[in-house]
Amino acid sequence: MTMPLENLAINTIRTLAMDAVQAANSGHPGTPMALAPVAYLLYNERLKYAPQNPLWMARDRFVLSCGHASTLLYAMLHLSGVQQFENGQPTGELAVPIEHLQRFRQLGSRCPGHPEWGHTSGVEVTTGPLGQGLAMSVGLAMAGSWLAQKYNRDGKDLFGFRTYALCGDGDMMEGVSNEAASLAGHLKLSNLCWIYDDNKITIEGDASLAFSEDVGKRFEALGWNVLKVADVNDLAALREALDAFDAEKERPTLIIVKSVIGFGSPNKAGTADVHGAPLGEAEVALTKENLGWKFTEKFFVPQEVRELFAQGIGTRGAELLDQWTADWEAYRKQYPQEASELKQIQAGELPAGWGEKLESWPENAKGVASRNSSGKALNQLAAGIPWMLGGSADLAPSNKSDLVFPEAGDYSPENRGGRNFHFGIREFAMAAISNGMATTGLRSYCATFFVFSDYLRPAVRLSAMMRLPVLYLFTHDSIGVGEDGPTHQPVEHLAAMRAIPHLVVMRPADANEVRYAYQWFAENRTLPMALVLTRQNLPTFPRGENACACACNVARGAYVLCENVNPATGSCDVILMGSGSEVQLCVEAQKQLAEKGIFARVVSVPSMELFAMQSPEYQESVLPKSCKKRVAVEAGIEQGWRKWLGFEGIFIGMSDFGASAPYAELYSHFGITTDAIVAAALLF
């Protein structure tokens, strides 16, 4: 008896997943085997997607939040014929050639253990840490609705898109998914569909060991449209549920799909054994036989299956793209300004005159808190970049992260074009949502107190891994928080953030360093930045000839702010360095040391990461090896400073948690003072 063609295609997905995991002797075959029908329908029938151009701006987005099931996605990218793009251009290769699937989880393969954005075309976001894919899908849905509101004209839906996310029990257990679902329900994101694989199995065994809630009722309470499919293999029921999502205009949709993990395996289906380990050669053979698979060759794709996908997503995608391209040409002629902005968004470019409103600050001994100078610079920059948008985790009045110019507006169900996002007290989801938005080319930012960076650190890590230029605004940066006490005083957080590769941590010393930090962020296209800001005032240093060096040097990470040169040696006697609010202490210490005949150089170190990227010659010009007498000052722990201090240098900072008192008293109590710096310099 001949297997129906759709079933043959679905079983092809299953066998590719089984073979890939078995070849690697590592991976998660069970979920791809179970969810092959969902993936088949989405790709071959539903997604507005063109394999010829996986960067098409109007495409639907598919997020595999259960990233451990990566072979499911890789199989779909291979069967759909998705093309590989590098630097925005096609390479002429498939994103997933069969040879790469055969080398699943191996070095150099475009099929790593979990999907990686920017590595394999067709992967919309990096997933694997459970729950984050769902939160990023909310960001994608928000971005899609924002682009549609901002740029659609004449009733044509040229720029909006739908977002689908596939998830499992682990995603549902992670708190970040509930944060994101709560916000999505509140915002009525009807362009968002989550498909929940309710298979009741986790790595340890039955999900009932730790999970017994009614997920459907939870999502109904969160304002979602909840649908149920009793059997994932019932294609008619799946189609009906997806039709219901299409018809829903007021709520996001959750489709709860019952499946059997490891479907088809005679001895392991429905068990934890098939969740996170290969089936074994013998069980693979038995499973293929049980599925009615007649082919003995591994990684085999029947020709009729290739033709089915070519006639499905291949033909449909090409027609959709051709029609959209024609509509785009008409749009481009009728709305040249909007078209230019859209091209810049997709290319990661900036509009002409984007930084013209960024202002420099005059010398001011009293100064201004860097959270306040940041608020002004943020608005000045966003006024010049119409697609810069973001918000705070309910702290905008404190961290000055609101866009206050009249045309900014608040994003809401009634105003999808607003640029101020109210994330609520959901730090982790906020950051992950910002990642999702950033993958579309929008310049996203988010804000909270620095101590709460602990809540969102996993999303910052993915920002850095995906090389997304997300801006993290962290205020209340040290014991300078004062009376709120140690629970709100970040001590170890600078070191923790600096430990993340590809994250630029920027702690500016005055308002002009803040201004140039924003300029660096705007010009950067591939790195996230954590901008760490004070609540207390910082003096604005004099700049220019016979004064402090230009704050534009923040782009180099560290620079000589000011120095006194020993006329006898032509160099300094000691180097004083710090970041943020402690640089002013170094400047005062320099003056006191001069009175004692000690000639000091003050080095502002707003970003260790950017300084580490500079040439050895520049680093030597700032921190000459010949001067081993160095003092570093920062209201945080020492970790990370020793590289720049050397073995003989002295660190002045924190070694314990803070305390509750006015901030000036705390600096004195913990010995972070001008007198302490002077005393340390005199020890050499």
Side-chain angles (χ1 to χ4, degrees):
M1 181 177 178
T2 303
M3 183 181 299
L5 185 53
E6 283 186 335
N7 289 354
L8 183 63
I10 290 167
N11 284 337
T12 301
I13 299 167
R14 289 175 170 138
T15 57
L16 286 174
M18 284 189 287
D19 286 344
V21 172
Q22 193 61 45
N25 197 28
S26 173
H28 301 257
T31 297
M33 294 164 67
L35 295 183
V38 174
Y40 168 76
L41 281 187
L42 283 177
Y43 273 85
N44 212 37
E45 294 185 9
R46 289 286 166 167
L47 291 181
K48 183 175 68 175
Y49 193 89
Q52 306 90 330
N53 185 1
L55 301 182
W56 174 29
M57 71 173 76
R59 70 189 182 278
D60 286 342
R61 268 58 168 187
F62 172 74
V63 174
L64 184 70
S65 190
C66 46
H68 57 273
S70 57
T71 52
L72 179 66
L73 178 55
Y74 300 147
M76 297 316 305
L77 297 180
H78 174 73
L79 294 172
S80 301
V82 174
Q83 298 295 300
Q84 180 70 8
F85 274 58
E86 305 277 348
N87 299 315
Q89 299 298 321
T91 65
E93 300 176 278
L94 288 177
V96 179
I98 199 68
E99 297 80 13
H100 284 248
L101 195 55
Q102 290 168 341
R103 293 190 296 108
F104 174 55
R105 289 186 167 222
Q106 307 308 302
L107 190 64
S109 172
R110 285 202 288 270
C111 298
H114 295 83
E116 297 178 19
W117 184 81
H119 180 67
T120 310
S121 294
V123 173
E124 299 290 2
V125 294
T126 296
T127 57
L130 292 175
Q132 287 203 59
L134 290 181
M136 286 188 281
S137 77
V138 173
L140 285 164
M142 292 165 73
S145 66
W146 190 88
L147 288 164
Q149 177 70 29
K150 176 77 172 175
Y151 293 108
N152 280 346
R153 297 289 186 275
D154 305 326
K156 287 191 175 182
D157 186 15
L158 278 178
F159 306 108
F161 54 83
R162 294 186 168 225
T163 299
Y164 299 82
L166 200 54
C167 58
D169 290 309
D171 291 286
M172 287 299 172
M173 292 187 213
E174 290 287 357
V176 66
S177 65
N178 195 67
E179 289 182 23
S182 174
L183 185 59
H186 170 75
L187 292 173
K188 301 180 180 180
L189 296 175
S190 60
N191 60 343
L192 176 65
C193 179
W194 290 0
I195 302 171
Y196 165 40
D197 175 26
D198 185 17
N199 65 37
K200 303 299 186 187
I201 294 294
T202 63
I203 287 178
E204 291 186 356
D206 196 282
S208 62
L209 289 168
F211 192 59
S212 55
E213 68 186 50
D214 188 321
V215 172
K217 288 182 178 178
R218 167 156 63 103
F219 274 73
E220 286 174 0
L222 293 173
W224 285 59
N225 172 35
V226 178
L227 308 170
K228 296 183 179 180
V229 174
D231 180 5
V232 71
N233 295 296
D234 185 344
L235 298 184
L238 281 175
R239 290 187 177 103
E240 184 178 345
L242 290 168
D243 286 341
F245 163 58
D246 289 340
E248 176 61 51
K249 303 303 180 185
E250 295 294 327
R251 299 168 293 174
T253 293
L254 176 72
I255 302 175
I256 301 175
V257 176
K258 292 282 187 181
S259 77
V260 176
I261 193 169
F263 179 84
S265 172
N267 300 302
K268 296 186 177 182
T271 72
D273 291 342
V274 76
H275 188 298
L279 277 75
E281 293 287 0
E283 189 68 14
V284 167
L286 289 173
T287 302
K288 289 180 177 179
E289 181 181 353
N290 194 39
L291 291 171
W293 190 255
K294 304 298 184 182
F295 312 100
T296 58
E297 181 183 343
K298 294 181 179 180
F299 296 96
F300 184 74
V301 179
Q303 183 58 34
E304 56 265 47
V305 170
R306 293 197 183 279
E307 292 172 358
L308 178 64
F309 277 95
Q311 295 162 5
I313 188 172
T315 299
R316 190 184 77 255
E319 291 172 351
L320 288 169
L321 182 58
D322 286 346
Q323 181 60 57
W324 184 89
T325 301
D327 291 340
W328 163 254
E329 287 303 314
Y331 180 96
R332 186 175 59 82
K333 293 175 183 176
Q334 190 170 358
Y335 306 104
Q337 175 61 35
E338 290 84 350
S340 175
E341 290 183 5
L342 284 160
K343 289 181 69 175
Q344 288 169 332
I345 290 171
Q346 188 165 37
E349 298 172 350
L350 297 172
W354 61 269
E356 290 177 353
K357 294 185 179 181
L358 282 173
E359 298 177 356
S360 295
W361 294 69
E363 176 186 359
N364 186 331
K366 180 182 177 182
V368 61
S370 56
R371 64 167 174 169
N372 291 332
S373 55
S374 167
K376 289 191 175 183
L378 171 66
N379 274 268
Q380 291 164 356
L381 184 63
I385 305 176
W387 49 92
M388 187 172 182
L389 39 77
S392 179
D394 196 53
L395 291 171
S398 292
N399 53 40
K400 314 302 179 186
S401 58
D402 270 345
L403 301 181
V404 297
F405 45 88
E407 62 271 26
D410 293 334
Y411 179 90
S412 69
E414 296 73 37
N415 179 21
R416 298 299 190 192
R419 293 169 63 185
N420 285 300
F421 289 78
H422 299 281
F423 292 107
I425 307 165
R426 306 180 179 97
E427 291 88 355
F428 192 175
M430 171 182 72
I433 287 168
S434 298
N435 284 342
M437 289 195 289
T439 64
T440 69
L442 300 179
R443 296 306 298 264
S444 58
Y445 70 89
C446 60
T448 187
F449 291 172
F450 194 29
V451 76
F452 301 140
S453 62
D454 286 336
Y455 288 164
L456 54 78
R457 178 184 170 86
V460 178
R461 184 174 186 266
L462 284 190
S463 295
M465 197 175 293
M466 289 190 279
R467 308 294 285 268
L468 294 173
V470 176
L471 173 60
Y472 293 94
L473 298 174
F474 294 127
T475 66
H476 299 59
D477 70 338
S478 69
I479 58 171
V481 173
E483 293 86 345
D484 280 337
T487 62
H488 280 54
Q489 293 168 5
V491 171
E492 74 278 23
H493 297 69
L494 281 165
M497 283 289 143
R498 287 168 177 156
I500 300 175
H502 306 307
L503 173 68
V504 171
V505 181
M506 185 78 76
R507 188 171 184 245
D510 76 346
N512 284 308
E513 285 198 0
V514 170
R515 175 249 187 267
Y516 280 103
Y518 272 95
Q519 179 169 328
W520 179 88
F521 169 73
E523 293 172 339
N524 145 71
R525 293 173 56 183
T526 60
L527 297 173
M529 181 173 80
L531 188 56
V532 183
L533 306 159
T534 67
R535 183 172 73 170
Q536 73 272 27
N537 284 353
L538 305 180
T540 306
F541 299 121
R543 304 282 179 168
E545 191 175 353
N546 300 319
C548 295
C550 180
C552 57
N553 287 297
V554 298
R556 308 184 83 169
Y559 65 103
V560 179
L561 180 70
C562 53
E563 73 173 330
N564 292 327
V565 176
N566 187 332
T569 63
S571 61
C572 60
D573 300 323
V574 63
I575 296 175
L576 311 178
M577 56 181 133
S579 76
S581 50
E582 288 69 70
V583 173
Q584 62 180 305
L585 302 179
C586 294
V587 172
E588 289 302 313
Q590 180 193 49
K591 297 174 183 176
Q592 293 186 23
L593 287 168
E595 295 173 358
K596 300 177 184 296
I598 305 296
F599 298 88
R601 167 181 286 188
V602 175
V603 174
S604 178
V605 189
S607 175
M608 292 184 182
E609 297 75 29
L610 291 181
F611 188 50
M613 296 177 193
Q614 305 308 308
S615 68
E617 293 76 16
Y618 178 74
Q619 292 174 357
E620 172 68 17
S621 74
V622 176
L623 299 177
K625 296 183 180 67
S626 59
C627 185
K628 298 186 178 350
K629 299 176 181 179
R630 302 179 183 182
V631 180
V633 192
E634 189 171 71
I637 63 171
E638 179 183 338
Q639 187 174 334
W641 276 102
R642 192 52 56 183
K643 176 178 180 179
W644 311 113
L645 272 172
F647 289 116
E648 298 177 29
I650 297 172
F651 178 76
I652 295 173
M654 299 294 293
S655 58
D656 202 344
F657 295 113
S660 182
Y663 81 89
E665 293 181 24
L666 291 177
Y667 271 82
S668 177
H669 174 74
F670 288 106
I672 306 174
T673 63
T674 298
D675 289 345
I677 299 170
V678 170
L682 293 174
L683 287 175
F684 294 109

